[in-house]
Amino acid sequence: QVQLVESGGGLVQPGESLRLSCRASGSNVYRNAMGWYRQAPGKQRILVAAVTPGNTKSIAVSLKGRFAVSRDNANDVVYLQMNNLQSEDSAVYYCYSAAGELVNSPPAYWGQGTQVTVSS
């Protein structure tokens, strides 16, 4: 079993930055990919970013250049750095631990989600 706890969400103005953190606990977390999805009201949950234990990364094409994912393997923490935030980035952001080690491995466990709101 894996537990994931996100932090770092909040209310920001357009153009500002946020860094989300997700700390994982449980067996074999270090072996698997981790990442982030987001879900806006009335929309599907979509993949934002993923990172493997070996530091292979994937970012949604529309977010490249503004978002970055990183991972601290020693502490089982995954980060999502979000820059130049826009109103369309407002969503609940969910951390996940994948079912495998590949960057496209599907989620197996989810965090509770953290709200990001971008508004002036």
Side-chain angles (χ1 to χ4, degrees), residues 8 12-13 65 67 76 80:
V12 297
Q13 294 188 346
F67 285 27
D76 290 333
L80 184 68

Side-chain angles (χ1 to χ4, degrees), residues 3-114:
Q3 292 80 43
L4 301 165
V5 179
E6 301 110 330
S7 61
L11 172 64
V12 297
Q13 294 188 346
E16 294 186 339
S17 297
L18 275 178
R19 188 176 80 155
L20 305 182
S21 301
C22 174
R23 183 173 297 275
S25 59
S27 59
N28 298 325
V29 172
Y30 68 96
R31 293 183 178 180
N32 295 325
M34 297 181 69
W36 298 89
Y37 276 69
R38 71 184 185 185
Q39 187 169 21
K43 295 188 177 180
Q44 287 188 327
R45 192 174 295 192
I46 61 172
L47 179 64
V48 173
V51 56
T52 70
N55 210 35
T56 297
K57 301 175 182 180
S58 176
I59 303 285
V61 172
S62 62
L63 301 176
K64 285 183 177 179
R66 294 195 301 122
F67 285 27
V69 64
S70 61
R71 178 173 180 154
D72 177 356
N73 284 331
N75 295 295
D76 290 333
V77 179
V78 63
Y79 301 98
L80 184 68
Q81 177 67 41
M82 306 183 291
N83 299 323
N84 190 22
L85 284 161
Q86 305 299 317
S87 57
E88 56 265 32
D89 296 316
S90 296
V92 178
Y93 285 72
Y94 295 92
C95 171
Y96 73 93
S97 176
E101 63 181 4
L102 301 179
V103 73
N104 60 353
S105 294
Y109 300 95
W110 294 96
Q112 80 284 359
T114 186

